[in-house]
Amino acid sequence: RQQYVGKLKFASLEASQGSKKLVVATEKNVVAALNSRSGEILWRHVDKGTPEGAIDAMLIHGQDAITVSNAGRILRSWETNIGGLNWEMSLDTGSFQVASLVGLQDVVKYVAVLKKAAISLHYLSNGHQKWVEHLPGSESTQYQLLYSHGTGVIHVLGIVPQSHLNVLTFSVEDGEITKQISVAAPWLKSLNGVCSVVGEAVLVCVDVDTHSLYVCSLETEQEMKQILLQSLDLEFADGFQPRILATQPNVISASRTQFFLQLSPSHFSLLQYKHGLLSHLRDFQQAALVSFATTGEKTVAAVLTCRSELKPGSSDGLHAGSTLEDSRKQESLTCSNQTYNINLYLVETGQRLLDTTITFNLEQSGAKPQQLYIQVFLKKDDSVGYRALVQTEDHMLMFLQQPGKVVWSREESLAEVVSLEMVDLPLTGAQAELEGEFGKKADGLLGMFLKRLSSQLILLQAWTAHLWKMFYDARKPRSQIKNEINIDNLARDEFNLQKMMVMVTASGKLFGIESSSGTILWKQYLRNVKLGSSFKLMVQRTTAHFPHPPQCTLLVKDKETKMSFLYVFNPIFGKRSQVAPPVLKRPILQTLLLPIMDQDYAKVLLLIDDEYKVTAFPATKNVLRQLEEIAHSIFFYLVDAEQGKLSGFRLKKDLTTEESWEVIIPTEVQRIVTVKGKRSNEHVHSQGRVMGDRSVLYKSLNPNLLAVVTESTDTHHERTFIGIYLIDGVTGRIIHSSVQKKAKGPVHIVHSENWVVYQYWNTKARRNEFTVLELYEGTEQYNATAFSSLDRPILPQVLQQSYIFPSAISAMEATITERGITSRHLLIGLPSGAILSLPKALLDPRRPEIPTEQSREENLIPYSPDVQIHAERFINYNQTISRMRGIYTAPSGLESTCLVVAYGLDIYQTRVYPSKQFDVLKDDYDYVLISSVLFGLVFATMITKRLAQVKLLNRAWR
């Protein structure tokens, strides 16, 4: 199991050299502490995955972390050493704006929370509310900023857009408004990012239209003072919204008088406003990110720059926001050699500190840095030392120390796996030699003999190397023996239990992970993937076709433009394939992986666009000829959930399509939720079930069957329903339809062999239920040799039964094995993070209420409406998976074994044995006894043979 926290939203690095933890809050609604020496998770709290659990702010004071979540409704305090909850408070509803710690005479005692219409002050020790005050004129005024610096007052800044600023001053003791001023600012639209407080409560705002800064003291002045930037020889980049970044190292003392002004995506200026004068300290022309950090009395500015020149590039995947973190984002710049420097500068003078450069390289991933956090500490000689935490746009975290050593890195994009496939590992050189020996026609007898000799020599060489390694490792202590898996020594094991897991994440990053150890062997970042894109991963060629490399194709579809592109790569090494995929000029609606192959053993991929035109990949002459031959048997379906339409098409010989059927589901009554077909790699071992009277009940095995789930649009608990339709994908014939009244989703469904299992919420009985459907042809088969959807005059018999399940469900999948002999189990992911392995026999619609002789003969369990959750059926024991989103199953080389990967916030891989390990010798198998018996029998045979010969000889002499 591997655990993740997700993309960082807030992070706090302790400012001491010996500190061991970083406290983070993430976009996945997780609060966690990471070990700063190894990157491991020390503790983690996962909130709800919905917007209710979203963390809006995080403040750190000493050993406490204060978080505001659920749009400002919940205030929590965490103990950062062990992750315990100190206290939790519910706040009044209202649009959350900002939270801040408030100090009084050198002690931080309170936390202030600013909402749209009110401000409240809470004690830091227990969370109790000291006072809450309504903000005057909150209907027209947008209150967005909060500032205090230990003087016993809190300044709240509100804005009436393009009119004026309201500055309210509250007393910390009783919440009384001691001062209220209005400052004219007709050019100001918002405060976030545009304004900041520096020095002794001086508000500095930037205006792009007049190319100037506006300054106003919150305590003494009542009007804005304009300072033109031309006087400092600074100017803004066209079309860029400039931002101000200030710092307040301690809430009981004033902010620093120095601040950063961002003039363009890669241009920052360090300015100082002191005693009414604005001075320019230093210019940073090629800066990607900037950050302030303080240790003791020293405040430094960290600047991340590109070693070569920054070039304007695409701003894919980045969206301009207006928070402080966003203001540090590099918006549309590419660093040509992917090498970056971080330098420290003293804020008072803008002077660069010597020996503080960290150099690091992002060439492997090709992603740009997105956030920078600095941990500064004073060394024994009073010089400044620091470590840096960099987050890149592909959600990778790197913790760096001088002069550029990567202490650790974490791949946080794996918290959002969206697609997954398992690929067999390649053969070793020796195995490949043997394959080659039998797989090709050699030149005559001599050639074959020489090939045999060479392959035997290679095998001998591999065997001696293995023996030498065993002998060498035997002399070492066990702790020093490293069984490191890297891309060079990857090889298929005897039973094909180790596989390559190819994972696609929501950020557009691809990973190759070795399944038995979880080692990331390769990673690839697709830069042009936008946020919210959908992915489909297909294996076109496996490792079985040596010497052709395996090939995977990823279809990426943009959420907004609906345009798609194909990315073809080798799943074992992660390298981009030499094969050029077709350029897709129209949005793709459906993809089909056909069983036909080109001359290089790559399966043919059909892509259907929104004009119902078909593109084949690869599109060689051989493929097109094969397509023409089998075009009459290629059908596909399209689903338009918005219009409630399912339509079937067939392929013509000239690779055009024509509609063959259409099913309309009225959208005003119900909407299509899921359409689920069967897995193409599924094998069915037995065609029927032997009943108690020795007759056979034949399964209805229609490979073209689709299970369509619909939900009612009416959400009233008395009128909600769930509909299920079993539709033949070739003819459009509705084979079965049923409605579950007073039921609602989310619906989880598994469709396999001749059965469908789906789970829903029963609103009347207020419980989770399973319904199972099984399809049978009867005691006689209509056509035992071939199946055709076009020739099925008799509808199958449908058996249906429901069961009560005591828990909600996060994910559901069925086990799969190579030959389909092993009995099937349902793998059910529970919200608690456990995976339950439930035998399919428990969800059998033929379970009798009153057992008979025949049902006992058939081993049918008597019907009981409850399905119990037994803890011994959990396949992941205490290795829980937070916020599980999916379960993937794959067959192994052993018929008894199925490989399982569960993914969500964590990734977990294991093996399951639904029918126990019937094809493997047990661990307690008595080899000594069996061997001694065998040797005894051989010895006895030899003696009896000799005695028989002597007997025969004696008889012959008589």
Side-chain angles (χ1 to χ4, degrees):
R1 178 181 68 162
Q2 290 177 347
Q3 294 185 300
Y4 299 96
V5 293
K7 185 186 177 187
L8 296 196
K9 205 171 183 179
F10 309 102
S12 165
L13 287 70
E14 290 180 349
S16 65
Q17 191 169 0
S19 85
K20 291 182 184 174
K21 64 178 181 294
L22 348 161
V23 182
V24 298
T26 72
E27 290 185 1
K28 288 270 161 209
N29 309 349
V30 173
V31 182
L34 304 178
N35 184 333
S36 61
R37 294 178 183 180
S38 63
E40 290 169 0
I41 297 172
L42 297 171
W43 55 263
R44 179 181 77 165
H45 291 288
V46 183
D47 210 335
K48 291 176 188 169
T50 55
E52 283 181 18
I55 297 161
D56 305 304
M58 182 173 82
L59 308 164
I60 301 284
H61 174 66
Q63 298 300 322
D64 294 340
I66 315 292
T67 59
V68 182
S69 52
N70 189 1
R73 287 186 193 148
I74 295 174
L75 186 67
R76 293 188 179 105
S77 169
W78 307 93
E79 208 286 327
T80 56
N81 286 324
I82 55 167
L85 183 68
N86 292 329
W87 49 260
E88 176 181 279
M89 289 300 286
S90 289
L91 306 181
D92 299 333
T93 55
S95 173
F96 172 77
Q97 297 298 326
V98 70
S100 166
L101 295 170
V102 176
L104 199 61
Q105 294 138 5
D106 301 344
V107 187
V108 180
K109 281 186 180 175
Y110 313 106
V111 57
V113 179
L114 179 68
K115 299 278 188 77
K116 187 175 186 293
I119 177 173
S120 57
L121 196 72
H122 300 261
Y123 288 99
L124 203 55
S125 54
N126 54 20
H128 291 168
Q129 188 175 293
K130 184 175 170 75
W131 51 258
V132 59
E133 290 295 327
H134 182 74
L135 299 170
S138 59
E139 295 81 24
S140 58
T141 313
Q142 298 169 15
Y143 289 96
Q144 293 173 339
L145 265 181
L146 188 68
Y147 182 75
S148 76
H149 57 112
T151 55
V153 293
I154 301 171
H155 300 292
V156 176
L157 283 77
I159 176 180
V160 178
Q162 298 182 321
S163 173
H164 61 272
L165 266 174
N166 273 346
V167 182
L168 306 175
T169 306
F170 289 88
S171 161
V172 171
E173 282 305 320
D174 53 8
E176 194 184 330
I177 298 178
T178 56
K179 192 176 175 188
Q180 182 172 355
I181 56 171
S182 178
V183 181
W187 45 270
L188 200 55
K189 296 186 184 76
S190 167
L191 294 174
N192 288 335
V194 179
C195 294
S196 224
V197 180
V198 301
E200 298 273 348
V202 177
L203 182 71
V204 179
C205 291
V206 60
D207 179 33
V208 68
D209 300 326
T210 57
H211 291 272
S212 53
L213 286 175
Y214 286 88
V215 184
C216 167
S217 170
L218 301 178
E219 290 174 349
T220 57
E221 296 168 12
Q222 297 208 358
E223 61 179 37
M224 289 277 198
K225 187 169 111 187
Q226 184 178 6
I227 302 169
L228 290 169
L229 283 180
Q230 287 164 349
S231 60
L232 300 171
D233 294 333
L234 297 174
E235 59 180 73
F236 300 132
D238 294 333
F240 179 75
Q241 175 60 54
R243 290 166 184 172
I244 287 179
L245 183 66
T247 180
Q248 185 181 9
N250 198 335
V251 290
I252 50 176
S253 56
S255 293
R256 289 281 173 188
T257 53
Q258 298 83 14
F259 61 95
F260 272 114
L261 174 65
Q262 188 177 8
L263 301 154
S264 82
S266 64
H267 185 188
F268 290 83
S269 272
L270 185 61
L271 305 175
Q272 176 173 294
Y273 183 77
K274 207 169 185 180
H275 310 310
L277 290 171
L278 184 71
S279 52
H280 182 215
L281 299 177
R282 192 170 183 130
D283 217 29
F284 301 100
Q285 289 284 357
Q286 299 293 338
L289 299 168
V290 295
S291 177
F292 284 112
T294 302
T295 174
E297 293 300 307
K298 279 188 183 174
T299 298
V300 292
V303 181
L304 188 143
T305 53
C306 179
R307 276 195 82 166
S308 67
E309 290 213 350
L310 283 163
K311 297 174 183 173
S314 61
S315 59
D316 288 348
L318 293 179
H319 47 277
S322 57
T323 62
L324 260 182
E325 277 73 39
D326 289 340
S327 70
R328 307 178 202 174
K329 274 185 189 170
Q330 164 196 6
E331 289 222 336
S332 56
L333 293 150
T334 316
C335 186
S336 56
N337 65 354
Q338 293 293 324
T339 307
Y340 296 89
N341 281 348
I342 303 173
N343 283 300
L344 289 194
Y345 299 85
L346 263 179
V347 291
E348 285 86 358
T349 58
Q351 191 180 347
R352 188 166 83 85
L353 294 169
L354 297 173
D355 302 328
T356 59
T357 306
I358 285 182
T359 305
F360 65 99
N361 191 295
L362 291 175
E363 206 163 352
Q364 198 184 358
S365 69
K368 296 179 287 194
Q370 215 175 36
Q371 275 172 311
L372 173 68
Y373 301 97
I374 298 292
Q375 177 188 31
V376 191
F377 48 84
L378 287 175
K379 296 180 184 170
K380 286 175 183 170
D381 58 355
D382 247 19
S383 63
V384 175
Y386 76 109
R387 298 189 190 99
L389 180 68
V390 176
Q391 179 167 268
T392 58
E393 62 183 350
D394 61 355
H395 304 184
M396 183 171 89
L397 291 180
M398 292 171 76
F399 196 60
L400 307 154
Q401 68 182 32
Q402 294 159 278
K405 183 190 169 197
V406 179
V407 183
W408 49 262
S409 65
R410 287 179 66 89
E411 291 290 352
E412 288 304 335
S413 59
L414 283 168
E416 273 187 292
V417 175
V418 287
S419 189
L420 162 67
E421 284 290 341
M422 272 188 163
V423 183
D424 294 352
L425 292 178
L427 302 166
T428 58
Q431 288 168 331
E433 271 300 317
L434 278 175
E435 289 281 326
E437 183 184 332
F438 298 111
K440 290 179 184 173
K441 291 175 184 172
D443 334 323
L445 200 64
L446 186 68
M448 284 179 80
F449 177 67
L450 289 171
K451 201 162 178 61
R452 165 61 64 94
L453 268 180
S454 66
S455 62
Q456 296 291 339
L457 274 169
I458 287 168
L459 280 171
L460 183 70
Q461 201 177 344
W463 185 65
T464 48
H466 176 67
L467 278 181
W468 172 249
K469 187 178 182 299
M470 276 174 65
F471 172 69
Y472 187 70
D473 284 349
R475 291 159 49 197
K476 286 184 181 175
R478 191 172 268 183
S479 59
Q480 288 180 17
I481 299 170
K482 283 184 183 174
N483 284 333
E484 279 188 5
I485 292 170
N486 56 39
I487 225 151
D488 304 319
N489 63 14
L490 267 186
R492 194 181 305 176
D493 60 300
E494 212 172 333
F495 297 125
N496 200 3
L497 295 167
Q498 280 174 269
K499 299 208 178 199
M500 177 69 83
M501 302 192 292
V502 181
M503 294 192 180
V504 185
T505 62
S507 64
K509 196 164 187 181
L510 278 70
F511 291 90
I513 299 177
E514 198 277 325
S515 67
S516 65
S517 65
T519 314
I520 297 173
L521 296 174
W522 59 263
K523 49 196 172 189
Q524 194 69 42
Y525 178 54
L526 306 181
R527 301 212 38 181
N528 47 357
V529 173
K530 297 225 173 97
L531 215 64
S533 298
S534 49
F535 303 87
K536 187 169 182 184
L537 183 63
M538 294 152 285
V539 182
Q540 275 190 287
R541 182 170 53 225
T542 62
T543 46
H545 305 288
F546 183 82
H548 298 290
Q551 180 177 313
C552 274
T553 302
L554 177 69
L555 177 75
V556 184
K557 187 173 182 179
D558 193 285
K559 190 180 179 182
E560 288 162 12
T561 62
K562 302 283 186 256
M563 292 306 284
S564 309
F565 70 89
L566 289 174
Y567 177 75
V568 186
F569 62 98
N570 179 331
I572 301 298
F573 299 107
K575 293 188 176 112
R576 193 173 188 145
S577 175
Q578 303 295 322
V579 183
V583 178
L584 308 173
K585 292 179 178 158
R586 307 279 323 162
I588 297 297
L589 300 179
Q590 179 69 289
T591 59
L592 252 78
L593 202 58
L594 299 181
I596 59 170
M597 294 183 179
D598 69 349
Q599 63 273 24
D600 292 337
Y601 304 101
K603 283 184 182 174
V604 177
L605 181 65
L606 282 193
L607 304 150
I608 297 102
D609 63 25
D610 61 345
E611 292 178 343
Y612 310 125
K613 287 182 181 160
V614 172
T615 311
F617 166 63
T620 57
K621 283 182 184 172
N622 176 16
V623 165
L624 297 174
R625 183 179 51 75
Q626 286 186 70
L627 272 176
E628 270 182 42
E629 286 170 12
I630 66 156
H632 64 275
S633 64
I634 295 176
F635 294 80
F636 61 91
Y637 69 93
L638 297 175
V639 184
D640 187 342
E642 285 174 14
Q643 295 178 13
K645 191 168 82 171
L646 278 109
S647 40
F649 292 79
R650 69 185 188 81
L651 195 66
K652 297 208 287 205
K653 286 200 171 181
D654 57 352
L655 292 193
T656 56
T657 59
E658 68 171 342
E659 192 171 350
S660 55
W661 57 268
E662 188 175 77
V663 173
I664 305 257
I665 289 166
T667 49
E668 57 272 11
V669 181
Q670 53 190 347
R671 56 192 171 85
I672 299 171
V673 184
T674 343
V675 177
K676 188 92 182 232
K678 293 180 185 177
R679 286 175 68 162
S680 56
N681 61 342
E682 183 178 272
H683 289 275
V684 181
H685 179 65
S686 60
Q687 290 195 332
R689 289 177 63 164
V690 180
M691 295 198 288
D693 59 359
R694 295 290 181 270
S695 62
V696 177
L697 185 63
Y698 287 101
K699 297 175 183 175
S700 169
L701 299 166
N702 181 348
N704 309 316
L705 196 66
L706 303 173
V708 181
V709 181
T710 64
E711 256 187 75
S712 62
T713 46
D714 191 340
T715 53
H716 187 272
H717 67 91
E718 285 290 324
R719 296 188 292 273
T720 58
F721 65 85
I722 276 169
I724 183 147
Y725 300 87
L726 300 182
I727 300 177
D728 191 306
V730 171
T731 60
R733 186 183 188 188
I734 298 176
I735 286 164
H736 173 76
S737 68
S738 69
V739 169
Q740 231 84 30
K741 288 182 180 174
K742 294 179 184 171
K744 66 174 198 173
V747 178
H748 294 277
I749 183 166
V750 171
H751 184 190
S752 175
E753 289 192 15
N754 67 322
W755 50 267
V756 176
V757 173
Y758 58 101
Q759 177 267 350
Y760 52 88
W761 173 256
N762 183 329
T763 56
K764 186 183 178 184
R766 302 177 68 80
R767 65 191 181 202
N768 289 283
E769 289 182 4
F770 274 124
T771 293
V772 57
L773 302 171
E774 281 193 10
L775 288 81
Y776 291 99
E777 280 191 34
T779 49
E780 285 183 18
Q781 269 184 304
Y782 175 70
N783 185 340
T785 51
F787 180 87
S788 169
S789 285
L790 302 167
D791 177 29
R792 287 277 134 178
I794 308 158
L795 279 175
Q797 304 168 14
V798 180
L799 305 178
Q800 178 172 344
Q801 210 165 54
S802 292
Y803 295 89
I804 301 162
F805 193 65
S807 165
I809 283 181
S810 305
M812 186 160 74
E813 189 54 87
T815 59
I816 185 169
T817 53
E818 202 160 67
R819 299 263 167 256
I821 299 168
T822 307
S823 56
R824 309 296 292 272
H825 276 210
L826 281 175
L827 300 173
I828 300 165
L830 306 178
S832 63
I835 305 171
L836 178 75
S837 181
L838 192 69
K840 167 65 182 63
L842 287 175
L843 300 176
D844 190 336
R846 297 184 63 246
R847 282 175 65 176
E849 287 184 33
I850 299 155
T852 60
E853 197 60 45
Q854 286 194 355
S855 69
R856 284 196 198 95
E857 186 82 20
E858 218 182 312
N859 280 337
L860 287 176
I861 307 160
Y863 178 70
S864 145
D866 283 315
V867 174
Q868 302 290 326
I869 294 180
H870 295 294
E872 63 268 22
R873 287 202 181 120
F874 291 152
I875 60 169
N876 56 338
Y877 312 109
N878 63 343
Q879 306 272 309
T880 53
I881 300 118
S882 286
R883 224 178 280 155
M884 203 183 308
R885 271 199 320 281
I887 297 172
Y888 176 88
T889 53
S892 71
L894 284 171
E895 174 54 35
S896 65
T897 308
C898 169
L899 304 174
V900 178
V901 184
Y903 55 91
L905 198 59
D906 306 332
I907 295 172
Y908 175 75
Q909 196 269 336
T910 189
R911 302 170 194 165
V912 290
Y913 315 102
S915 300
K916 304 279 192 296
Q917 284 182 289
F918 59 82
D919 50 2
V920 177
L921 292 176
K922 287 189 171 64
D923 291 338
D924 57 354
Y925 186 76
D926 202 336
Y927 293 94
V928 178
L929 179 69
I930 298 291
S931 308
S932 53
V933 168
L934 276 173
F935 279 121
L937 285 170
V938 170
F939 195 60
T941 311
M942 287 161 70
I943 291 169
T944 46
K945 188 180 176 184
R946 178 75 187 133
L947 289 172
Q949 284 175 341
V950 169
K951 191 177 179 183
L952 281 170
L953 192 64
N954 289 340
R955 190 183 291 168
W957 275 106
R958 278 181 193 159

